[in-house]
Amino acid sequence: MGSILYTAPDCIRCKIVKDFLAEKRQEYRAVDFKGDTETFNKFYRTYRKAIYRNPEGVEFPLFQDGDVIRQGSGEILAYLLSGHGLEGCVTRSDMLHGKISGLYPSQCPDGQEENFQTLVRRLAEGGLQVWLQTDGRKPELLEKLLCVKNTHVLCNMVGGAEATTKIFGGAPSADELGATIRLVSNTPDGAVRFLVMPLPDDSGWSWPRREDAAAAAKMVAAACGQPTLPYTITPVTPEMTWDTRGLEPLPGENLLMYRSAARQHLFKAEIAR
């Protein structure tokens, strides 16, 4: 069976993928889910567990290459550019209506930087507002990506170096984080934030402790030397791609605790609205 691209009418994300396939002269079969509901429904029933539904329904496009299923323009282009090379740094987007996320340059494998740059450029040139997320590593790559028009960035802090390594597979040096913060600060809508997400511990997973919030803010303050740097406390939500690990909802008072801890090092820390 050859490659199949499942699309929706008037879908800008679908057009981005179609244009890329046409440019590469790659053969594939296009199936419009409204024009050929029988074929799409058969595909959907077969691969239901692998298909993501956002609050507005199934996200298009979807690409089938044998047993490989990729969904969303970011994941599909990443696969077409690199095979499985960008899997660890490109995931589904949790943004809708002309925006796309799920792009993590800090986790881009060595040797895949050019493919990552091509991916971001194609998404932005196709008309999407691209939102990158960084943990502070690879500021050189981030700087190149931010030269692409309509590209934005969020810097996620989850705790100290140990917690960061457990979540992201590595932690930035002070120089890397400092360079990243400067780039984020000079980008429209860029933000440095404490992303409140489950962290692994001896018993499994739990919400961050006060010490984790303090350690994250301390890393930021030490790296940038700006205790007045704007800094937000942002809890993950079910709509985000981050897994809440089945934990009970985050108690509201925890956000106040995290803000208090962060303000030991970053005086303008605020809870995201």
Side-chain angles (χ1 to χ4, degrees):
M1 178 178 66
S3 301
I4 304 175
L5 182 68
Y6 297 91
T7 64
D10 303 317
C11 168
I12 185 174
R13 299 167 194 257
C14 302
K15 184 178 184 303
I16 290 171
V17 175
K18 284 182 175 180
D19 288 348
F20 183 85
L21 288 166
E23 182 180 308
K24 299 301 179 183
R25 298 184 179 180
Q26 181 168 334
E27 293 185 359
Y28 70 98
R29 176 187 173 196
V31 174
D32 184 298
F33 92 103
K34 285 192 174 180
D36 190 347
T37 55
E38 182 178 351
T39 298
F40 177 75
N41 287 340
K42 181 179 179 181
F43 163 76
Y44 182 80
R45 287 193 299 269
T46 303
Y47 296 98
R48 181 191 299 266
K49 291 183 178 180
I51 297 173
Y52 165 68
R53 294 181 65 92
N54 62 41
E56 297 184 358
V58 173
E59 180 181 347
F60 287 92
L62 295 109
F63 186 74
Q64 181 179 14
D65 184 20
D67 291 332
V68 175
I69 306 294
R70 292 292 180 269
Q71 184 173 9
S73 50
E75 284 194 349
I76 294 172
L77 287 188
Y79 176 73
L80 293 172
L81 283 163
S82 70
H84 299 286
L86 292 174
E87 273 186 1
C89 57
V90 180
T91 64
R92 71 171 175 85
S93 172
D94 53 19
M95 289 183 168
L96 304 171
H97 307 302
K99 298 180 180 180
I100 188 168
S101 60
L103 306 163
Y104 304 91
S106 298
Q107 292 155 264
C108 180
D110 292 341
Q112 290 291 339
E113 291 86 354
E114 187 173 337
N115 282 332
F116 201 102
Q117 291 177 66
T118 300
L119 167 64
V120 169
R121 187 178 67 254
R122 296 300 295 245
L123 293 172
E125 290 176 351
L128 294 175
Q129 187 181 97
V130 178
W131 280 87
L132 309 171
Q133 295 191 50
T134 175
D135 60 42
R137 292 174 293 160
K138 297 206 170 189
E140 300 87 356
L141 175 58
L142 179 62
E143 184 173 16
K144 293 176 181 177
L145 296 171
L146 290 175
C147 290
V148 178
K149 186 178 179 181
N150 214 19
T151 301
H152 305 259
V153 61
L154 299 170
C155 180
N156 295 325
M157 305 299 296
V158 296
E162 182 179 355
T164 301
T165 299
K166 288 180 178 179
I167 294 297
F168 297 127
S173 67
D175 287 343
E176 286 180 315
L177 184 55
T180 295
I181 292 170
R182 287 191 291 275
L183 291 169
V184 173
S185 298
N186 290 328
T187 303
D189 301 322
V192 182
R193 62 186 186 175
F194 178 58
L195 187 64
V196 183
M197 63 184 301
L199 298 177
D201 58 24
D202 293 338
S203 60
W205 295 85
S206 62
W207 292 113
R209 304 162 300 167
R210 179 185 179 88
E211 303 93 278
D212 297 311
K218 184 177 181 180
M219 279 181 64
V220 170
C224 71
Q226 299 178 52
T228 58
L229 180 80
Y231 185 74
T232 59
I233 314 298
T234 306
V236 297
T237 65
E239 293 75 29
M240 295 181 178
T241 56
W242 306 101
D243 191 347
T244 55
R245 305 290 178 177
L247 296 179
E248 292 295 321
L250 179 73
E253 58 267 24
N254 280 34
L255 295 177
L256 297 174
M257 176 182 69
Y258 299 146
R259 184 180 67 180
S260 173
R263 283 183 174 177
Q264 296 176 41
H265 307 282
L266 296 168
F267 309 146
K268 290 188 175 182
E270 291 291 352
I271 298 169
R273 299 184 182 278

